[in-house]
Amino acid sequence: MEPTPPLNKVFSLVVQEERQRSLTTSNSPAFTAPVSSRFQAASRASSPTNASRSRKDRPLCTHCNILGHTVDRCYKIHGYPPGFRNRPNFRPNGSRPNQMLPNSLHTNQLTLTDGSTASASPPPLTHDQHNQLLALLSLHSSSGSSASFGDSNPLQQSISNFTDFFFEKVLPVVPVSTPSPSFDNSTSRPNSPDSSSNDTSPHTTSHTTTRSSRVSQPPKYLSDYHCCLASSTPHFDISNSTPYPLFDVISYNKLSSSFRAFSISISTITEPTTYAEAVVVPEWQHVMRAELQALESNNTWSLCTLPPGKTAVGCKWLYRVKYHADGSIERYKARLVAKGFTQQEGVDFFYTFSPVAKMVTVKVLLSLASIYNWHLTHLDVNNAFLHGDLSEEVFMHLPPGYHREGEPLLPSNTVCKLHKSIYGLRQASRQWFAKFSGVLISEGFQQSHSNYSLFIKTAGNDFIALLVYVDDIIVASNNKIAADNLKNSLNKSFKLKDLGNLKYFLGLEVARSAKGILINQRKYALELLSETGYLGCKPAKTPMQPNIQLSQDDGELLTDPSMYRRLIGKLIYLTITRPDLTYSVNKLSQFLSQPRRPHLQAVYRILQYIKGSPGKGIFFSTSSSLQLKAFSDSDWAACPDSRKSVTGFCIFLGDSFISWKSKKQRTVSRSSAEAEYRAMAHVTCELTWLIALLKDLGVPHTQPALLYCDNQAALHIAANSVFHERTKHIEIDCHIVREKIQTGMLKTLHVASQHQLADILTKPLFPDQFNSLIDKMGMYNIYIPS
C-alpha cells in the first residue's frame, strides 16, 4: 500500500484536479490533440534507441536480408529454436524498458494539461487552505466512501478517504503512456470502449494497455503427448504447434478397444526413477512399507554394526506398475535391490551362473503359439529371490527411508546382515532358480537342454511349456484347464500373481488377433525419445546414412562418454524387436571405449529414425509353415580400422522372423568368398540350435533347413570337399557347413543380391532398398496413421 501523502501534497493535488476540470470544460482549440500523443512523441524523440543507434550499425544477414543477425545465426537456415513461434510478443511498438516516461516526468514536477506545473513539494498550508481541504474531505466522506485503516482519528480517516479518491479519480486523468512489460504479455488488455476513463471529457485519455493481435496457439509441449490420439475427435488442433507432431507417426484408431485401452494405460502412468520422486506419492509409500515389512517378516536380514574390515554394499528402490490384460492396474510394485556391482568375487560370492530365457526362445515360443493357437498366460512371483538361502556373509546399507516407528534413530554405522538373497546380489538369481527348477521337476516337467530356462510337460494330448526370466513366467498350453491346475500347484510353494493373458512381458507389448501375434516395443521407444528430447524431432528415413564410414580416430573425443554408452545400451535392448536397427547399433557399439563426436551424431540419427516408426514390430502369422529358412551375407573388409568383415544373417520359421544377428568377424578374410563362407558357418550353428529347440518343444524339424547365399564361390566351397589355395587356411570349424549338408540337415541355395534379406544387417542402405527389405522381413506397424 502506498504511504499516506502529506497534507501539503494532498492540497496541491486537489488544486491540480480543480484546475484540470476547469480547463477541460473550455472548448479551446489548443487541446484538440490528446495529451498522450504528445507524451508518446516526446518519448520517441528522447528514446536513446533511435538517437544513438542507426540501422547501418546493425548486422545484415546475407541469406534473408534482414537486419539484426548474421548468416551463421539465421533461423531460416539452422532452424527455429523450441518455442520460437509461440513466444510472448515482447517490446511492442519498439518500446524499451527505459522508455517508461517522458523527460518531463523524470523531474520532481507534475505536468498539467495547460502546460503549467505543480511542485511535488508545495509550501505549507495557510489557514484558509486548511479549511478548504477539510470541507472537501467531509464532502467526499458523506458520499459513501469507507475507510480501510480500522480505528483511527477523524483526520487520518479523512486522509484515507481522500487517498482512495486520489487513486481512483485523479490519477487516470494524467495521460502517461506506459509500455507493457517485456517478460509477460498476460497482463495486457485489448483496447475496447469499456476501458475508457470515468471522465467524460473528450480531451482526456485514459491509461490503457495493448496486446498483440497474433492468434494464440496451444502450448507446443502438448504435442509431445500422444494419449489423446486414441480418440477419434481430438480436443484441439495442434497441427501448427510443432512441425513434426507425434500424430503423424502413431495412431491408435486401428486397434481393438481392449488393446487400445491397454496401450494407453501403460503409457499414461509414469514410474518414478528415484526414491525422492516416489516418497511423495501415497501409493508408492504404501508399497515400500509393505516391501520392508515382507523382508523383515521373512527374516531376510538382521541389524548390526558393521564389523571392522568389512564393506557393505549399497541398495536402491526400483518401481514398476503391473497391469492386468485389460490395461487396469494390478498393483504398484516397489523392489529393494542391492548394488551387486560393488561385490568382490571370491569374497562376497563364488558362483553366479543363472540361466535366463533367450529372446530368440521367446520369439520361437510365440510363433508356435500363433500357429497352434496355444493359450499364453503371464505369471509373476512375489519376492522370488527371498526363497533362496544365502551362504556367504554379506552386509548391506540400510534401505532409503528405513526407520522403525517408535524407536530412536539408528547409528550411522548400522547395516543389514543378509540371511537370504535379495535382488541385485550376484549370487541371488542362481539360488532362486535352483529352488524353482526343483519344484518344477517334481511336478513332472523336463528341463530343455537347448535352453535351461525352458520347461516342458507332456501328458497325453496336453502340452505345457513354461519359460522363466528371473521372476516373470510365460505359460503356453493347448489346454487352459491344465494351465490353471499348474498355477494352483505352484501357488502352494510360491506366492504367484496371475496377470492374465500375455500382453506385456519385459518391455515387449504382445498384440494378438485371429491373424497372428505381433510384438513391439512402442512404449520403450517413446520413453527413449522422451528421455533424449527427440519426441519432436524430424524423422529420418534410414537409421544410418548410406555409404557412411565411421572410424575410431575421426572426430573430437566426447568429454562425457557415459551418455553415449547409456544410449547404446538402451538401443541394444530395442533391437529385440527391431532388426532394422541391428546393424547401426552393432556398428556404434564398437566405439564404446572412446566415443567421438561423429559417433554421437550417428546415434542421434537412429533416434530420428525411431521417431518415424516407434510402433514397428515383428509379426508371427497363424498361417505360417514350420520350414526353417535362413539368409546369410557378409560385407568383406568393411571395418576401416581392422579390415575385418561383417557377418549378417536372418532366420525365419515359415514366414515368422525369429532370429537375426549382425557381428564383426573375429579374423581377417583374404577374399569375399572366405568372408561369405564364415558367415554361412555362423548361421549353420544357429540353425542347429533352433532345430534342437523345436524338438524339445515337440515340433520335430524333419526336412532340411534352407540356407540362401548370394556368393557362388562360397556355395561351391560348402558343397565340394576340394582342397585348394582358397580353403587351406580356413579353420576347421568353418567346415561345419559342409558336414551339415552331407548329413541332410542343411540345403544351400543361391539368391540374387537384390533379394538378399541379410544385406540390411551388413551395411547401411539407401531408403528404397532399405524399405523393400524391411517389408519382406514381415515387419509391421499397427500404429501407423491411416
Side-chain angles (χ1 to χ4, degrees):
M1 180 176 293
E2 294 288 339
T4 303
L7 290 179
N8 296 340
K9 185 175 181 179
V10 170
F11 182 77
S12 299
L13 294 176
V14 171
V15 174
Q16 175 187 352
E17 167 69 10
E18 295 297 333
R19 184 177 300 179
Q20 286 181 344
R21 290 188 178 183
S22 62
L23 289 176
T24 53
T25 55
S26 60
N27 296 327
S28 174
F31 301 99
T32 55
V35 183
S36 60
S37 300
R38 293 199 296 258
F39 280 131
Q40 292 176 357
S43 175
R44 289 192 296 267
S46 60
S47 174
T49 303
N50 296 330
S52 61
R53 185 176 180 180
S54 63
R55 295 176 59 90
K56 295 181 180 180
D57 297 334
R58 303 178 65 188
L60 175 65
C61 178
T62 58
H63 176 72
C64 60
N65 296 326
I66 297 179
L67 294 175
H69 64 274
T70 56
V71 68
D72 57 340
R73 293 188 176 183
C74 184
Y75 290 162
K76 296 185 178 181
I77 298 178
H78 306 286
Y80 290 87
F84 177 83
R85 299 187 177 182
N86 295 329
R87 66 178 183 176
N89 184 23
F90 58 89
R91 296 182 182 178
N93 301 327
S95 61
R96 300 180 62 86
N98 58 355
Q99 291 177 284
M100 299 295 292
L101 295 172
N103 291 340
S104 59
L105 293 183
H106 288 294
T107 62
N108 295 328
Q109 294 180 345
L110 293 175
T111 307
L112 304 181
T113 55
D114 61 350
S116 61
T117 60
S119 174
S121 299
L125 295 178
T126 62
H127 180 72
D128 296 337
Q129 291 174 343
H130 186 268
N131 293 334
Q132 294 178 9
L133 178 58
L134 292 179
L136 180 60
L137 292 176
S138 61
L139 177 63
H140 178 65
S141 176
S142 63
S143 62
S145 167
S146 60
S148 59
F149 290 102
D151 298 334
S152 60
N153 57 57
L155 181 59
Q156 290 179 339
Q157 185 173 359
S158 300
I159 294 176
S160 174
N161 293 336
F162 180 78
T163 304
D164 296 337
F165 174 77
F166 168 75
F167 284 105
E168 294 177 5
K169 300 296 183 179
V170 180
L171 187 58
V173 302
V174 182
V176 180
S177 175
T178 306
S180 60
S182 60
F183 53 85
D184 187 8
N185 62 357
S186 60
T187 57
S188 59
R189 298 289 185 270
N191 293 329
S192 62
D194 296 336
S195 61
S196 60
S197 173
N198 295 334
D199 196 339
T200 58
S201 172
H203 304 296
T204 58
T205 305
S206 64
H207 173 73
T208 59
T209 56
T210 59
R211 185 175 65 177
S212 172
S213 61
R214 178 182 298 176
V215 179
S216 61
Q217 296 290 343
K220 178 184 175 184
Y221 68 87
L222 292 180
S223 62
D224 294 342
Y225 297 91
H226 61 281
C227 293
C228 62
L229 302 180
S231 175
S232 57
T233 57
H235 300 289
F236 48 80
D237 181 18
I238 57 175
S239 57
N240 296 327
S241 60
T242 179
Y244 310 102
L246 273 178
F247 60 73
D248 286 347
V249 296
I250 189 170
S251 173
Y252 299 88
N253 296 330
K254 297 181 181 179
L255 306 181
S256 63
S257 57
S258 59
F259 191 75
R260 180 189 306 173
F262 176 80
S263 300
I264 296 300
S265 177
I266 64 177
S267 301
T268 302
I269 300 178
T270 302
E271 298 169 345
T273 57
T274 61
Y275 173 78
E277 296 177 4
V279 73
V280 297
V281 182
E283 290 81 3
W284 294 117
Q285 293 178 8
H286 174 71
V287 296
M288 283 190 290
R289 286 195 298 266
E291 177 74 4
L292 290 176
Q293 292 174 1
L295 292 173
E296 291 186 334
S297 62
N298 201 27
N299 195 26
T300 306
W301 62 60
S302 60
L303 300 181
C304 66
T305 303
L306 183 64
K310 297 292 184 178
T311 304
V313 299
C315 59
K316 64 175 295 185
W317 288 99
L318 294 181
Y319 307 95
R320 293 292 181 269
V321 180
K322 297 293 183 177
Y323 301 92
H324 288 292
D326 58 355
S328 60
I329 297 178
E330 192 270 335
R331 63 189 172 107
Y332 291 85
K333 185 175 182 179
R335 176 181 294 170
L336 184 65
V337 179
K339 297 180 180 180
F341 55 85
T342 60
Q343 291 182 278
Q344 297 181 6
E345 184 177 2
V347 178
D348 300 317
F349 65 92
F350 297 97
Y351 302 102
T352 62
F353 174 75
S354 175
V356 293
K358 293 181 62 176
M359 285 302 167
V360 178
T361 306
V362 175
K363 286 175 274 191
V364 170
L365 184 63
L366 293 180
S367 62
L368 293 177
S370 177
I371 296 173
Y372 290 109
N373 196 24
W374 290 343
H375 299 281
L376 294 173
T377 307
H378 187 195
L379 303 178
D380 179 73
V381 183
N382 284 349
N383 299 319
F385 284 7
L386 298 183
H387 298 282
D389 296 328
L390 192 63
S391 57
E392 297 87 0
E393 187 180 50
V394 179
F395 298 93
M396 184 185 71
H397 290 294
L398 294 177
Y402 181 83
H403 176 65
R404 293 178 176 178
E405 296 183 1
E407 296 185 5
L409 295 178
L410 298 173
S412 59
N413 59 344
T414 303
V415 295
C416 300
K417 183 180 180 180
L418 299 180
H419 306 298
K420 294 186 178 181
S421 58
I422 65 172
Y423 290 90
L425 292 180
R426 302 287 291 272
Q427 66 270 42
S429 57
R430 173 184 174 88
Q431 296 171 343
W432 145 248
F433 186 82
K435 189 168 186 177
F436 183 73
S437 60
V439 174
L440 290 178
I441 293 174
S442 64
E443 293 287 340
F445 281 84
Q446 294 182 353
Q447 193 172 12
S448 172
H449 295 287
S450 301
N451 193 332
Y452 287 98
S453 61
L454 177 64
F455 298 85
I456 302 103
K457 181 181 180 180
T458 304
N461 295 328
D462 296 340
F463 170 83
I464 300 178
L466 191 145
L467 192 63
V468 182
Y469 195 101
V470 190
D471 60 348
D472 286 291
I473 302 172
I474 297 179
V475 178
S477 177
N478 59 356
N479 190 337
K480 186 173 178 57
I481 298 178
D484 293 337
N485 293 334
L486 172 65
K487 289 185 289 186
N488 296 332
S489 178
L490 291 178
N491 199 31
K492 298 178 182 179
S493 302
F494 311 98
K495 189 177 181 181
L496 297 178
K497 286 288 186 179
D498 187 0
L499 302 179
N501 296 330
L502 182 63
K503 289 292 185 67
Y504 192 71
F505 179 75
L506 301 177
L508 277 65
E509 301 176 37
V510 183
R512 190 168 191 175
S513 67
K515 296 182 179 181
I517 297 176
L518 185 137
I519 59 173
N520 63 77
Q521 294 172 277
R522 174 197 58 89
K523 179 177 183 291
Y524 184 84
L526 291 175
E527 289 177 348
L528 178 59
L529 294 175
S530 177
E531 178 184 344
T532 55
Y534 270 73
L535 272 178
C537 69
K538 179 180 179 180
K541 296 182 179 179
T542 58
M544 184 172 285
Q545 295 180 0
N547 299 327
I548 188 174
Q549 289 290 335
L550 294 176
S551 174
Q552 61 183 6
D553 299 324
D554 294 341
E556 177 187 359
L557 283 173
L558 297 179
T559 56
D560 183 17
S562 60
M563 179 186 66
Y564 178 86
R565 296 165 183 165
R566 184 167 56 253
L567 287 177
I568 292 297
K570 291 179 178 294
L571 289 174
I572 288 176
Y573 193 77
L574 189 58
T575 58
I576 294 176
T577 59
R578 299 294 296 266
D580 49 340
L581 304 177
T582 302
Y583 169 76
S584 304
V585 176
N586 174 265
K587 180 67 176 179
L588 295 175
S589 64
Q590 301 174 15
F591 309 109
L592 289 177
S593 59
Q594 289 184 331
R596 297 178 179 269
R597 184 65 57 182
H599 308 151
L600 184 60
Q601 296 298 330
V603 173
Y604 292 155
R605 166 83 179 205
I606 296 178
L607 296 177
Q608 289 181 275
Y609 172 74
I610 296 174
K611 164 65 184 299
S613 55
K616 186 174 290 186
I618 302 297
F619 180 70
F620 306 125
S621 175
T622 56
S623 58
S624 177
S625 64
L626 297 174
Q627 172 71 47
L628 281 174
K629 297 180 293 184
F631 292 82
S632 171
D633 193 21
S634 70
D635 190 12
W636 181 49
C639 180
D641 300 316
S642 62
R643 307 310 298 173
K644 295 180 180 179
S645 306
V646 177
T647 293
F649 67 81
C650 51
I651 302 176
F652 295 81
L653 182 61
D655 298 330
S656 302
F657 198 10
I658 59 175
S659 179
W660 58 87
K661 179 176 285 188
S662 177
K663 185 177 182 180
K664 186 166 65 174
Q665 296 181 1
R666 292 177 297 176
T667 60
V668 178
S669 299
R670 298 180 61 186
S671 64
S672 60
E674 180 184 345
E676 295 279 357
Y677 191 54
R678 293 183 184 276
M680 293 174 64
H682 281 86
V683 71
T684 301
C685 296
E686 186 76 4
L687 286 171
T688 304
W689 173 74
L690 285 173
I691 291 175
L693 179 63
L694 291 174
K695 183 179 179 180
D696 292 341
L697 289 170
V699 186
H701 192 272
T702 57
Q703 52 191 340
L706 303 180
L707 175 57
Y708 294 91
C709 181
D710 59 355
N711 189 283
Q712 292 282 8
L715 293 175
H716 289 312
I717 295 174
N720 303 317
S721 57
V722 179
F723 185 84
H724 53 74
E725 294 295 331
R726 285 190 175 185
T727 60
K728 67 179 182 180
H729 62 281
I730 300 178
E731 289 85 348
I732 301 299
D733 61 345
C734 293
H735 295 298
I736 189 176
V737 182
R738 185 183 304 163
E739 178 186 347
K740 297 301 179 182
I741 293 176
Q742 293 175 355
T743 58
M745 191 202 79
L746 187 65
K747 182 179 180 180
T748 57
L749 297 172
H750 181 264
V751 64
S753 297
Q754 60 268 25
H755 302 302
Q756 175 60 272
L757 299 185
D759 197 32
I760 199 174
L761 300 170
T762 59
K763 63 180 72 69
L765 303 176
F766 287 93
D768 293 340
Q769 185 181 5
F770 180 84
N771 294 326
S772 175
L773 296 180
I774 287 298
D775 295 337
K776 294 179 181 178
M777 286 182 173
M779 296 190 66
Y780 291 92
N781 186 5
I782 60 176
Y783 299 96
I784 187 172
S786 56

